Amino acid sequence: MALRTRGLTKRYGQRLAVADLNLEVRRGEIFGFLGPNGAGKTTTIRMLLGLITPTAGSIEILGQDLRRQPKLVLPRVGALIETPALYLYLSARDNLRVVARSLGGISERRIDEILELVGLSSRQKDRVKTYSLGMKQRLGLALALLHDPELLILDEPANGLDPAGIVEMRDLLHQLVAQGKTIFVSSHLLSEVQQICTRVAIIRLGRLVTEASVEELTRGRGEFVVRVEHPQEALRLVRAQSWGTTARLTERGELITPAPDGRGRELNRYLVEAGLIPDSLAPVTLDLEQVFLQLTGDDVAMGGKV
Ligand SMILES: Nc1ncnc2c1ncn2[C@@H]1O[C@H](COP(=O)(O)OP(=O)(O)OP(=O)(O)O)[C@@H](O)[C@H]1O
Ligand SMILES: [Mg+2]
């Protein structure tokens, strides 16, 4: 296990910023930590990095207790919280050199390697103040990677980035996981998390709402969306079947229906045998956005999405 919290709690006066949080992040995965503004993401991350002390609960990182072994644990972790602290009048390379010197034992070759990885090699001599937000964010990540940490804890790394910057960040995170790193990444950009994470925890008002695989969350209820030439007729037929009583039509005239034995091919066979050949037939999957809104209690109807 790369990261495990038990009953993690942080109280600010009367306000419970994080309440009884149990998280488990496996080695080698990209784990998404999702929640609306004020949910407690940054507070949790600050506790994970030993920057603030929990009111209660425990944190285990890479198999070690953080409170008991901070000096063993923290050098194995890399972090990016909010906007990284950068020397704007220095180049990217010099920013890395400053941190390398304070860490000790980091070669110029390692700096080359990191600059290459985050895609800043060609701009490494320019002052950081001339950089775009995306470049600064990637430099922040470079600083966090310098000492080759096993676990990366990133607080909203895509925050403020434009679509191209988000794609670059996503590619970079994929590359890091391919190298065997574990990534814990917070976000409120749900579509983004859906694309990069294998599992997510959703928090709201400091409390865990759910922890599940993205696949589980978005799987839907085993229904299928069918496009067919005569949807009304298909609906009537399907409704008359024991497995199809909950079938319905969308506003766009698509048939949403369960399948015999839950199997798409059986649904297909049924429709074809009834003389209604589907133009298309696919499982209904939910957008993480819809799941999130539903789980966090916002009163938004959950619809199917293909
Ligand atoms: N130092 C502090 N003193 C008092 N309250 C705090 C402090 N830090 C955070 N809080 C409160 O704790 C709650 C959680 O805040 P936190 O910053 O962890 O949320 P977040 O999920 O990171 O939100 P965002 O998406 O806006 O970054 C909020 O209600 C916040 O006001
Ligand atoms: Mg935050």
Side-chain angles (χ1 to χ4, degrees), residues 41-42 82 155-156:
K41 302 183 295 293
T42 301
E82 281 148 13
D155 195 11
E156 312 245 14

Side-chain angles (χ1 to χ4, degrees), residues 140-184:
L141 200 52
L143 292 165
L145 287 167
L146 213 43
H147 60 299
D148 201 18
E150 291 153 70
L151 170 66
L152 277 169
I153 297 182
L154 311 174
D155 195 11
E156 312 245 14
N159 217 2
L161 302 188
D162 63 13
I166 290 176
V167 171
E168 286 166 3
M169 182 58 72
R170 186 199 306 157
D171 290 347
L172 189 49
L173 298 189
H174 276 307
Q175 251 176 291
L176 291 167
V177 161
Q179 291 179 6
K181 308 218 180 286
T182 305
I183 303 181
F184 179 88

Side-chain angles (χ1 to χ4, degrees), residues 12 15 17 35-44 82 155-156 188 203:
Y12 288 112
R15 181 180 293 133
N37 292 132
K41 302 183 295 293
T42 301
T43 304
T44 302
E82 281 148 13
D155 195 11
E156 312 245 14
H188 59 263
I203 63 162

